[in-house]
Amino acid sequence: MATNNDSARRGLPPAHGLYDPANEKESCGVGFVADMKGRPSHSIVVEADHALRMMDHRGGCGCETNTGDGCGILTALPHTFFTEIVRAEFDATLPAAGRYAAGNVFLPMDAAEREHCKTAINQIIAAQGQRLIGWRVLPVEPTKADVGPAALTAMPFIEQLFVAAAEGIDNEAFERQLYIIRKLATRTLRYESNHEQADWFYICTLSSQVIVYKGMLTPSQLMPFYPDLADARFESHLAMIHSRFSTNTFPSWDRAQPNRFMSHNGEINTRQGNINWMHAREGVVQSKLFGTELDKLFPIVEADCSDSGNFDNVLEFMLMNGRTLQESIMLMIPEAWQNDDEMSAEKRAFYEYNSTIMEPWDGPASIAFTDGRYIGAVLDRNGLRPSRYYITHDDKVIMASEVGVLPVDPANVKAKGRLRPGKMFLLDFEQGRLIRDEELKSAFAESRPFGDWLQQQKIEFAHLHTDQEPHGFEPSTLLARM
């Protein structure tokens, strides 16, 4: 929970009466545009920007109509564009796609504080055995975008970081190192630093697959503010968008979405309990992939995040520890499986087994998610947030909080529909197809003998009153098991 001092440093009022700066929830517009076959183009970015503008009413603004609650766009790394940028800016050759990472970083406006942050990050990159390519001052046009006074006052200095993979490391191991670098930098500079402006530090993304351009902007300001997005060389096969309505919270540049792997329309009502569980697990969690470096990832859930940001923190942790994106989402937002008599035994066992690993992140939620290889969406078990989608004959998929965000010729519509409560759909760019909810979940449910594991390992309360309880009441292990 944020302290009053933390809140004041970030421009938020202190906790007072019913207001607590830790209660960061929101209700927003969310969606994506993607090419099902994974073909990058600038038109995907342009169409996503159009869709974002059409959801302007789902975002919020203050008494200044040109200061927004926040919006943003997540795309795949535009490799051709970045290749030319790195050649021009650093006189260097960019490694092959997947062998480098890029990310936009919010830094202090004060030059000395900014240099302190960049030096610390450079040292962490070197300590983790990766290679710094360089820092690019990201072009921004606040005047052209007509950014309002409140957003300008809170605006950070924005630079773009490029990091190359070490020799002999595979792409997945590189992603894990990038995760460690970001977590260490955040912990060191944002939460442990005594520097006055350290709270301005925030890494939007640092990935070899995706990048986020976001800010305390309105939808119509995003592309004018970031000239990169309007450059015809900026191509992507996917573009996730988000327009934020802060509801009962205060906007900030870092709380704008998309987050690093997802965007969210709605609220996570179980947020504090979910956070407490994750903090508790830090004492016993183990990882074959991170080994002795695991403690570098703590805290898993970062302070000063919205409910969406907390969800994203946990999703990223599960993804980096070997679970697929879609399986992680299934664990965090399960269907209402307990009383569904029509659900298969395999799927029910899957949900019951995994309920012992991860408690549900409950609340009205429509969530879009991607890691670059997949993009998809899921609706909460009650279905209290809308999610509409179109699939066209030219293999384009459009998903948004509502219909009409993009003009589509009816003759080009192959299929359309809406997500049902607890259901998910997923685009697999490698397979070039849409995977429906039943196929997706059945594959995971049947991949392991969850039913057998439950039968062999589950302990019922009734067993505790008999001699049948297999673990007994040994004093040496009782407290730990309790």
Side-chain angles (χ1 to χ4, degrees):
M1 182 176 292
T3 65
N4 284 351
N5 185 54
D6 292 335
S7 302
R9 289 173 63 197
R10 303 183 68 245
L12 303 180
H16 179 74
L18 295 177
Y19 172 73
D20 189 326
N23 294 328
E24 290 297 336
K25 299 180 180 179
E26 53 210 317
S27 189
C28 324
V30 62
F32 62 77
V33 180
D35 185 293
M36 194 183 301
K37 302 301 181 183
R39 297 166 297 198
S41 68
H42 185 59
S43 64
I44 291 287
V45 180
V46 172
E47 289 175 348
D49 178 68
H50 183 279
L52 179 62
R53 292 168 188 255
M54 292 298 100
M55 293 192 289
D56 181 71
H57 61 288
R58 286 193 173 271
C61 62
C63 57
E64 305 165 1
T65 56
N66 55 353
T67 290
D69 280 8
C71 70
I73 186 170
L74 178 153
T75 73
L77 292 192
H79 181 61
T80 301
F81 175 69
F82 280 162
T83 297
E84 296 181 18
I85 288 294
V86 167
R87 183 182 298 119
E89 296 260 348
F90 310 124
D91 192 24
T93 300
L94 199 63
R99 302 302 297 164
Y100 73 94
N104 293 330
V105 184
F106 294 163
L107 295 162
M109 280 292 188
D110 180 82
E113 292 286 342
R114 186 163 65 248
E115 201 56 39
H116 164 73
C117 292
K118 291 167 63 177
T119 299
I121 295 172
N122 294 347
Q123 292 172 348
I124 293 170
I125 291 170
Q128 292 303 130
Q130 309 309 303
R131 179 171 63 87
L132 173 69
I133 297 175
W135 290 86
R136 172 197 179 207
V137 176
L138 193 65
V140 294
E141 296 282 357
T143 302
K144 181 180 178 182
D146 187 30
V147 177
L152 283 176
T153 301
M155 190 175 83
F157 196 91
I158 309 173
E159 296 200 29
Q160 200 166 64
L161 171 63
F162 291 88
V163 180
E167 292 293 332
I169 189 174
D170 64 37
N171 291 1
E172 291 185 359
F174 179 46
E175 279 292 328
R176 290 193 292 273
Q177 287 301 315
L178 294 170
Y179 180 44
I180 292 174
I181 290 167
R182 184 183 63 73
K183 294 292 285 188
L184 282 177
T186 299
R187 185 171 73 190
T188 302
L189 293 170
R190 186 155 182 157
Y191 304 127
E192 296 178 355
S193 176
N194 292 321
H195 284 246
E196 185 178 352
Q197 292 191 342
D199 50 306
W200 286 76
F201 172 79
Y202 178 83
I203 300 177
C204 298
T205 49
L206 186 59
S207 167
S208 66
Q209 301 299 318
V210 297
I211 190 166
V212 168
Y213 288 74
K214 68 178 184 178
M216 196 170 149
L217 306 164
T218 65
S220 62
Q221 292 172 338
L222 183 66
M223 191 169 278
F225 183 81
Y226 288 114
D228 278 9
L229 299 174
D231 194 305
R233 299 169 298 172
F234 195 106
E235 298 180 327
S236 175
H237 63 287
L238 64 91
M240 180 193 294
I241 48 175
H242 189 274
S243 175
R244 186 170 190 243
F245 196 113
S246 300
T247 314
N248 54 358
T249 65
F250 288 84
S252 66
W253 282 77
D254 57 325
R255 287 190 182 127
Q257 294 187 41
N259 292 302
R260 295 169 184 120
F261 288 95
M262 51 76 74
S263 294
H264 170 217
N265 170 28
E267 297 183 359
I268 303 295
N269 294 332
T270 58
R271 170 181 179 266
Q272 194 56 53
N274 297 133
I275 293 172
N276 291 343
W277 272 112
M278 292 310 299
H279 286 328
R281 290 189 179 104
E282 288 178 8
V284 296
V285 67
Q286 297 179 6
S287 171
K288 293 181 180 179
L289 295 176
F290 286 99
T292 57
E293 291 192 301
L294 187 62
D295 62 341
K296 296 179 180 179
L297 309 181
F298 301 155
I300 296 168
V301 177
E302 297 168 0
D304 303 326
C305 286
S306 66
D307 53 342
S308 308
N310 299 142
F311 185 100
D312 187 69
N313 286 162
V314 176
L315 175 62
E316 182 177 30
F317 180 77
M318 295 175 71
L319 184 62
M320 291 299 166
N321 275 283
R323 293 186 185 273
T324 64
L325 183 67
Q326 51 270 37
E327 183 185 14
S328 301
I329 292 287
M330 289 178 207
L331 267 61
M332 296 181 72
I333 307 181
E335 293 180 74
W337 56 271
Q338 289 93 335
N339 299 310
D340 188 345
D341 295 333
E342 297 182 359
M343 183 177 288
S344 69
E346 291 81 7
K347 191 189 292 188
R348 184 189 301 277
F350 168 81
Y351 281 124
E352 184 178 358
Y353 180 86
N354 284 297
S355 69
T356 66
I357 298 172
M358 172 64 61
E359 58 288 329
W361 290 64
D362 260 342
S366 171
I367 289 180
F369 53 88
T370 185
D371 60 359
R373 176 185 172 183
Y374 304 100
I375 193 167
V378 66
L379 202 61
D380 70 279
R381 64 178 77 183
N382 294 308
L384 297 177
R385 286 291 184 269
S387 291
R388 303 277 182 169
Y389 64 87
Y390 282 79
I391 304 171
T392 65
H393 287 290
D394 57 354
D395 296 316
K396 190 169 291 180
V397 178
I398 305 158
M399 194 286 289
S401 303
E402 57 211 275
V403 297
V405 295
L406 270 182
V408 180
D409 183 350
N412 192 29
V413 176
K414 183 177 182 180
K416 62 181 179 178
R418 66 180 177 89
L419 277 181
R420 304 287 175 173
K423 302 302 182 183
M424 178 191 299
F425 77 88
L426 185 81
L427 277 181
D428 185 327
F429 294 113
E430 291 187 0
Q431 295 187 40
R433 71 183 185 97
L434 182 72
I435 305 175
R436 302 283 181 178
D437 180 86
E438 186 59 36
E439 177 188 353
L440 182 65
K441 292 176 178 174
S442 294
F444 277 99
E446 296 168 6
S447 63
R448 293 180 176 87
F450 294 106
D452 293 343
W453 292 347
L454 284 170
Q455 187 175 8
Q456 295 165 9
Q457 301 175 24
K458 185 170 67 173
I459 301 172
E460 301 283 357
F461 276 117
H463 295 162
L464 300 179
H465 299 288
T466 72
D467 295 332
Q468 300 173 11
E469 204 284 309
H471 295 83
F473 294 95
E474 291 83 358
S476 61
T477 61
L478 180 60
L479 185 60
R481 289 189 285 116
M482 290 172 63

